[in-house]
Amino acid sequence: MTKNHYFSLLISLLMLAGCQTTKIAQVPYKKEYSKFVNDMAILHYPESPQMEVNIRNDEMFISSLVAGPAIPFQLLLLLAQKSAKKEDSLAFNEIIFDLNIGDVLCEKLNTKFQLCSYFHVVPQESVSENETAWKLMEEREKDVKDYEKLGAKLGIDTILEADVLSFGIKDPGLFSDPYAFISVDVKMTTAAEGTVIWRDIVQARSEVGMNTEDFENMVYTDVEFLRKKLEEVVDVVSEQCIERLGFDTNYTYLLEEDYLGKTKHKINIAEKLNELNILRHDGLISDADYDNTRIDLIERAKERNSTGPSIKTKLSATAIIKPEAK
């Protein structure tokens, strides 16, 4: 094989290993749209991508230096790296085989919308149990009739679709530690006309907090460790989604386990809000009762036992009071 053939093969392999591009048209969200959003359902597509794992860059860099500029050796190293990435991916995906990243994302979005916005959201249990919703979730390209059908079945005027494009673990190289990442295509559509009022690619990363070797050892000795790190980055991206709609997320600290241990009333706000929301959706309490009780729960959850400085973050008025249409 000639030098030119080696070079062509190297270019082809680099292209295959390169970044994946999307042709998603982004639609900016305008605050005036919020005047017309009352009830919303959060959906994701049934199939999520496999977790990506790329934690061999340190080894590749050192080996590449040792191999020198010889193209055949560099090609062999590149193939070896690709094989190692595939093995890592298979092993890590097997560890979290029962984790549906789309479900986790929708649950976190649902809780944070209840915490930070005035939108009424359909409980995720009600979405997953609705046969019509499940059938339409499988269709990535929906038409107006599909959105109308979803709106009628779930009693909503707006649909938020969260499509996980990619997620996983990366280690960029010698001078960085591994981190979890996620990229989500988020689309908000009206049920009546199928009009897209917001669409964006939201990306996030969350540091693992240790070097690659320690991380690998931890993953194989503690099966819950990897799941926890992935859920942490999902938490970050869900918060970014809420912020891009203009809502205040300063008090999402109420959801943290460490904070719960310091509170006076020991209120698991995520659990209580979900229970309250199910009562509202089932018609056992009115929307007004739900709103009032929700605010009371949040305020009680803020009370702390600590004698130190209290967190003074208050609910923003724009987060709990719907703006009146002009």
Side-chain angles (χ1 to χ4, degrees):
M1 185 179 289
T2 66
K3 184 176 181 179
N4 287 337
H5 287 148
Y6 280 126
F7 184 74
S8 299
L9 180 57
L10 178 60
I11 294 297
S12 299
L13 288 170
L14 289 173
M15 289 176 67
L16 287 172
C19 297
Q20 194 174 22
T21 58
T22 59
K23 297 180 180 179
I24 296 171
Q26 293 171 279
V27 179
Y29 185 78
K30 298 177 181 179
K31 283 191 175 181
E32 54 262 34
Y33 293 151
S34 297
K35 301 171 186 176
F36 311 105
V37 179
N38 298 291
D39 299 280
M40 180 172 68
I42 304 171
L43 314 177
H44 71 91
Y45 301 115
E47 292 186 6
S48 294
Q50 277 207 325
M51 177 178 60
E52 299 176 16
V53 182
N54 184 4
I55 55 175
R56 302 292 177 180
N57 289 307
D58 287 359
E59 301 171 15
M60 179 65 180
F61 179 73
I62 295 172
S63 300
S64 180
L65 289 178
V66 173
I71 292 178
F73 291 116
Q74 294 292 345
L75 282 173
L76 290 173
L77 285 172
L78 189 60
L79 290 171
Q81 184 191 31
K82 190 173 182 180
S83 176
K85 283 171 61 177
K86 185 176 180 180
E87 290 178 7
D88 289 335
S89 180
L90 289 172
F92 280 38
N93 274 285
E94 186 175 347
I95 290 172
I96 60 155
F97 72 96
D98 59 342
L99 176 69
N100 188 314
I101 203 75
D103 283 344
V104 175
L105 175 59
C106 288
E107 289 286 354
K108 289 186 178 293
L109 283 170
N110 196 302
T111 298
K112 289 185 178 179
F113 270 115
Q114 292 183 74
L115 260 180
C116 307
S117 79
Y118 49 79
F119 296 161
H120 290 147
V121 291
V122 177
Q124 293 308 123
E125 293 91 334
S126 299
V127 174
S128 61
E129 292 170 0
N130 189 288
E131 185 178 352
T132 300
W134 266 106
K135 288 181 179 178
L136 293 177
M137 281 163 63
E138 295 176 353
E139 299 180 18
R140 290 185 175 269
E141 297 300 326
K142 303 178 182 64
D143 57 29
V144 176
K145 290 183 179 179
D146 291 331
Y147 287 110
E148 289 177 348
K149 191 181 296 183
L150 269 173
K153 288 291 182 181
L154 296 175
I156 54 173
D157 52 46
T158 310
I159 297 101
L160 184 75
E161 297 171 79
D163 180 15
V164 178
L165 301 176
S166 62
F167 75 102
I169 304 291
K170 286 184 181 179
D171 178 10
L174 287 175
F175 303 105
S176 300
D177 288 333
Y179 61 85
F181 72 92
I182 189 169
S183 179
V184 184
D185 171 21
V186 188
K187 182 170 67 171
M188 184 181 284
T189 310
T190 63
E193 299 175 346
T195 302
V196 177
I197 57 177
W198 178 48
R199 190 166 192 181
D200 205 352
I201 304 297
V202 186
Q203 299 175 323
R205 57 183 284 178
S206 177
E207 300 299 326
V208 168
M210 60 181 66
N211 62 42
T212 303
E213 184 178 355
D214 291 340
F215 172 69
E216 287 185 86
N217 292 335
M218 184 66 75
V219 166
Y220 290 115
T221 56
D222 183 357
V223 294
E224 291 299 314
F225 181 74
L226 180 59
R227 181 192 303 269
K228 182 179 178 182
K229 292 303 173 183
L230 293 172
E231 289 183 353
E232 285 176 2
V233 76
V234 174
D235 194 60
V236 175
V237 83
S238 67
E239 194 152 327
Q240 288 187 13
C241 290
I242 305 295
E243 289 174 345
R244 293 195 186 189
L245 292 173
F247 295 112
D248 183 3
T249 59
N250 285 335
Y251 46 91
T252 50
Y253 64 83
L254 298 175
L255 298 169
E256 298 173 4
E257 291 182 10
D258 290 342
Y259 179 80
L260 177 62
K262 301 173 184 177
T263 59
K264 180 179 179 180
H265 299 293
K266 306 297 180 188
I267 297 174
N268 185 327
I269 195 69
E271 181 181 289
K272 293 299 181 183
L273 284 176
N274 185 55
E275 292 173 358
L276 185 65
N277 195 28
I278 290 173
L279 293 176
R280 179 198 64 82
H281 186 70
D282 290 345
L284 300 177
I285 60 173
S286 67
D287 286 352
D289 287 338
Y290 162 81
D291 291 335
N292 292 332
T293 307
R294 175 174 67 93
I295 294 172
D296 181 62
L297 274 172
I298 294 171
E299 290 300 327
R300 287 173 60 207
K302 290 179 182 179
E303 297 181 26
R304 302 180 62 175
N305 285 326
S306 174
T307 57
S310 60
I311 298 175
K312 295 182 179 180
T313 307
K314 297 296 182 181
L315 279 172
S316 167
T318 58
I320 57 174
I321 301 174
K322 182 174 181 177
E324 296 181 1
K326 295 181 180 179

